[in-house]
Amino acid sequence: MATHSGISVLHPSLSNLDRSLRYYQKSPIDPDSWVSVVTQDFHLIVEAVEWKNLFPHRTTPYSLLDVGCGTGRFPEILSTDLPGSLHIYYDMCDPSQYCLNSCQQTLRAPFYSRKAWRTTLEHAEKTWTPGSYDVAWAIQSLHCLNHETLHDSLRRFISAIHPTRGTACIFLGKRDSFLSQIHQLFFRQIPFSAPQPYVSAESVLTMLDQLGATTLIRELDCIHTISIWEDRLLEQYLQQCVMDATPLPKWREIGRLRTFLDSFRHGDYYHFPNLGWIMLSVPG
């Protein structure tokens, strides 16, 4: 444990990915609290994409890969927007067994769970067959990737889809999103152990361009709203943003953190802006 400016951080020297592995287990997280704040993001994504164009009616099943599936809230919401006549085989990977189990239990028609791998995109070189998926998506799940290996990770992701009919879908926050800013500011209080910044949508787009992919972008204005009276919800939200269990009173003891959070307060609510890009890519 490292302590600086009143903040005690468990496993401070870990990378973002390693810290996420420790954090995203059943005991420390409350997925219902997080989802209650970010569900609107998923609805915006559903509205931003013509999903019926990605999954036009056909008699043969589709194959889909979900990288960083989480607890499966996104496909649960999207399923109500897709025809029940579709049959979509759903493969998933996530470093958390708890998330894999939750996602499998959440899936409903037209999604049908097929394969689940406990791994990360960075370590999935021989996990799936390249070129075998009609659609692959990563919904707010790439921010913990290592910057040094981002090119290889995205090459692996793009190569998972069929070279002529496949589409890759990525949603990720921009560099100036609240999520990225609070992560950097929080760990700036313990500079000797600060992890890398989160991977941003801008960084991903740069790598996709280098890989020769053709990418369509749409910016989504995601705003996370929490009442000033909901201290526990605010605490859980902030903890999940930085993947650390530091309690809310400790946050408020630090002048820079308190001032930053207060800058997003409007009356009786905090409004945390998380501009993000939905990126649809096809191989070059």
Side-chain angles (χ1 to χ4, degrees), residues 176-209:
D176 59 355
S177 67
F178 175 80
L179 178 68
S180 293
Q181 290 189 67
I182 196 63
H183 176 262
Q184 293 185 62
L185 183 60
F186 177 83
F187 284 101
R188 206 171 290 154
Q189 313 311 308
I190 45 171
F192 53 85
S193 59
Q196 291 183 328
Y198 283 150
V199 170
S200 67
E202 294 94 329
S203 296
V204 167
L205 179 61
T206 297
M207 292 300 176
L208 291 174
D209 287 344

Side-chain angles (χ1 to χ4, degrees), residues 233-283:
L233 181 59
L234 176 62
E235 178 180 73
Q236 292 171 326
Y237 174 76
L238 293 173
Q239 289 173 343
Q240 194 141 342
C241 282
V242 301
M243 298 179 297
D244 186 87
T246 296
L248 184 60
K250 290 293 184 181
W251 286 72
R252 288 177 168 156
E253 289 176 7
I254 310 304
R256 289 181 179 179
L257 291 176
R258 184 177 62 252
T259 299
F260 185 69
L261 292 177
D262 286 346
S263 71
F264 297 100
R265 178 176 169 177
H266 303 275
D268 288 346
Y269 293 91
Y270 293 100
H271 297 292
F272 302 119
N274 282 280
L275 284 175
W277 283 350
I278 184 80
M279 294 172 273
L280 298 178
S281 294
V282 295

